[in-house]
Amino acid sequence: MLGPSGSGKTTLLRVIAGLNAPDRGRVYFDGQDATNLPVQDRRVGFVFQNYALFKHRTVGDNIAYGLNVRPRHSRPSREQIRARVAELLKFVQLESLGSRYPSQLSGGQRQRVALARALAIEPRVLLLDEPFGALDARVRKDLRRWLREVHKETGLTTIFVTHDQDEAMELADRVVVLNEGSIEQIGTPSEIYDQPVSPFVISFVGEAVALPVNVEAGRVTFGDRTLHIDTHGLRSGPARVFFRPADIAVATNGAGELEGRVESLRRTPAGVRATIAIDGYDQTLEIDSPLDQAAALGDRVPLSLANARIFTVSDTKTDYVDAGEGI
Amino acid sequence: MSEIAVESFPRIRTGAKVRPVTQDAPVTRYLLIATTLVFSLTFLFAPLALVFVEAAAKGFSVFLEAFSEPDAIAAIKLTLLVAAIAVPANLVFGLAAAWSIAKFSFPGKSLLITLIDLPFSVSPVVSGLVYVLVFGAQGLFGKWLSAHGTQVIFAVPGIVLATIFVTFPFVARELIPLMQEQGTVEEEAALTLGASGFTTFVTVTLPNIKWGLLYGVLLCNARAMGEFGAVSVVSGHIRGLTNTIPLQVEILYNEYNTVAAFALSVLLASLALVTLGIKSFLEWRHADALAAGGGRH
């Protein structure tokens, strides 16, 4: 579940876990209505944003907690619990830290303890609330890779909440994009990238530039220029064209749909990123170009669009048209 | 150019002591420390020491005799009884109040927080008088109570009620900020792991607040045993029946029985010292526990 802060990701996750009650709608686990099931009986493995480890218990006791609080008749024996804890500690690669207290661990280690604790109860679904939010970039990357392996090994349905699009795109089979409490789009990472259904999705997932245009009988105009974008019957009126830095390039034949002036150049690992002030538009846009084609500062360059998307200003999803290849 | 720039700065005297900007001049420092010391010695320590000196003024046997007096024994027993009821009662009330304030949001919450502080801001005499008005013979429930053969005012129940009222804030005030700071996230984690509400309370909430709770109970107990004002109003000063230690001390003092009065005072003063001692110990343990992010076992 991907969305900016305040978009309702965590709330939705808590509703699934049974920590919050939904105003409307129902929660199903494997086709079975769980809406009125108390949180204790849902068997969800919840990993909280700040880990929520029991700070007065050792790592081992934290992991064993879910087994120790079971009613007597279904509680495993002491030996079984100990064995399970050892197994989980090994699984999260913290074998030697079972008798430490959470405060004596690093953030990444705490995160893994939280996951082991959630896995101890053999959950039906694993719910992760921004689990890497408080960690530095490097640890995040390692844990991300590790989490993928965990998922592969356990085969557990896992719902991962994040505001980091890279994280979502890397980890997820399916991405749910949320905005202001409602779901904007559900799809595979490719679908989210290539077929965004709303201006929000295209601007939140990856960088995008929005160009105000006018649609008149199937013709898209920006100022006095005509953009070659298929409107697929979009109704006439003001609209916006969205494109990503990769979708715009310096026109090689010299005649572009847009023209602008190079304001600044910045070296990136792949090439050069140029900031360009477009004629007739008060904002700048950025394009990536390979090293050998780099223009000089102050140059006027013709630009051509590929793969732009157009949405009417009302932003309703039904008005969406994937304009596909624009020439 | 550069020479001029250098010249415009005051010369740095080598060998001069450099004082951190946050540290005051030595004179100011000693003056402040001396004032504090003199003040606390005169107004805090000397009176306390005098209690012990006066109590022992006529020898140790006289001092011990004061405790064999039946009225004194009755007063000690009553004080222990009152504390034994008031402290557990406020432990439960305080926990409930702190729990509801810290973990739920409901209308009138800030009013409740203010109400909890009421016993601190109202003079104990006034709270005693209020109980007389409510439960006394001419009071609100007076007729109903006497019809049912129960006496509250000028009897033990009144003393217990007044003590509960006066000591109400101690546990709650200690726990509210602690529980608010800790939030509900550990409890939620316990719930998702299958623990019931009660199990969560015993295994997660209680260990997290144990030091604060103990601290609150200790202060509550000290005040419950030492309360004078409110208890004085509702007790009726019946010797051997409704006199707590502080009331007994006053009676003895008014009868010029100084040694006995100070002997009983020693008991209260010792209680205060023990409380302070344990309080400091707890603070030390508490700080240690906080620094480690949790209690040690």
Side-chain angles (χ1 to χ4, degrees), chain B residues 185-200:
Chain B
V185 65
E186 278 190 45
E187 278 84 0
E188 284 180 343
L191 293 177
T192 63
L193 292 168
S196 66
F198 181 71
T199 309
T200 303

Side-chain angles (χ1 to χ4, degrees), chain A residues 120-137:
Chain A
I121 61 164
E122 282 158 5
R124 290 195 283 182
V125 55
L126 196 55
L127 307 174
L128 310 171
D129 186 9
E130 305 235 13
F132 307 149
L135 304 171
D136 61 64

Side-chain angles (χ1 to χ4, degrees), chain A residues 27-327:
Chain A
V27 178
Y28 291 93
F29 282 26
D30 275 335
Q32 172 195 350
D33 191 346
T35 316
N36 297 319
L37 210 58
V39 49
Q40 290 96 334
D41 301 334
R42 289 199 190 188
R43 273 192 34 227
V44 291
F46 201 108
V47 175
F48 291 83
Q49 197 168 0
N50 294 312
Y51 326 124
L53 295 177
F54 306 127
K55 53 182 174 290
H56 60 278
R57 285 170 192 272
T58 62
V59 167
D61 287 347
N62 261 282
I63 297 173
Y65 186 88
L67 302 172
N68 279 329
V69 297
R70 282 200 191 157
R72 203 171 291 276
H73 59 87
S74 61
R75 192 192 307 157
S77 71
R78 255 163 211 269
E79 285 69 38
Q80 282 172 313
I81 292 179
R82 202 171 303 141
R84 179 90 177 115
V85 169
E87 185 191 322
L88 282 162
L89 278 172
K90 191 162 176 234
F91 183 66
V92 297
Q93 297 151 22
L94 296 171
E95 288 105 317
S96 56
L97 302 182
S99 54
R100 294 261 187 102
Y101 282 93
S103 56
Q104 298 166 308
L105 302 182
S106 72
Q109 289 172 331
R110 283 182 214 177
Q111 188 57 71
R112 283 183 278 162
V113 174
L115 191 69
R117 184 178 70 177
L119 289 172
I121 61 164
E122 282 158 5
R124 290 195 283 182
V125 55
L126 196 55
L127 307 174
L128 310 171
D129 186 9
E130 305 235 13
F132 307 149
L135 304 171
D136 61 64
R138 216 207 158 85
V139 180
R140 277 171 94 119
K141 261 211 155 118
D142 289 347
L143 277 177
R144 225 189 269 176
R145 197 172 309 130
W146 177 75
L147 188 66
R148 271 234 293 226
E149 281 162 28
V150 169
H151 179 245
K152 218 185 281 170
E153 267 180 67
T154 59
L156 270 176
T157 300
T158 304
I159 303 179
F160 187 101
V161 158
T162 181
H163 63 266
D164 180 336
Q165 37 152 323
D166 293 337
E167 218 161 72
M169 294 304 179
E170 185 181 332
L171 285 170
D173 300 317
R174 287 211 295 165
V175 178
V176 177
V177 183
L178 280 132
N179 182 34
E180 290 178 0
S182 59
I183 292 174
E184 294 267 336
Q185 188 173 2
I186 304 177
T188 64
S190 316
E191 281 166 2
I192 301 288
Y193 266 135
D194 300 335
Q195 292 142 43
V197 298
S198 68
F200 173 79
V201 175
I202 191 171
S203 22
F204 186 70
V205 182
E207 297 165 83
V209 176
L211 212 57
V213 295
N214 209 43
V215 178
E216 195 68 61
R219 215 168 66 101
V220 182
T221 52
F222 172 68
D224 52 2
R225 288 169 176 274
T226 301
L227 302 182
H228 303 286
I229 294 169
D230 189 347
T231 60
H232 290 288
L234 202 68
R235 64 179 160 75
S236 297
R240 274 189 293 168
V241 166
F242 288 83
F243 49 89
R244 302 190 193 283
D247 298 335
I248 190 162
V250 176
T252 41
N253 55 8
E257 298 164 282
L258 295 168
E259 209 173 282
R261 202 168 56 84
V262 179
E263 295 262 284
S264 74
L265 292 164
R266 183 156 53 89
R267 183 75 168 83
T268 61
V272 172
R273 173 159 286 201
T275 308
I276 295 178
I278 302 221
D279 294 354
Y281 185 43
D282 55 359
Q283 283 176 43
T284 58
L285 61 85
E286 297 195 315
I287 66 168
D288 289 320
S289 62
L291 271 178
D292 51 339
Q293 286 178 21
L297 214 58
D299 278 1
R300 292 197 62 82
V301 286
L303 300 165
S304 63
L305 278 175
N307 207 19
R309 260 152 223 93
I310 184 163
F311 297 94
T312 55
V313 169
S314 67
D315 285 351
T316 53
K317 286 172 195 169
T318 44
D319 282 345
Y320 153 76
V321 167
D322 183 0
E325 309 279 298
I327 303 292

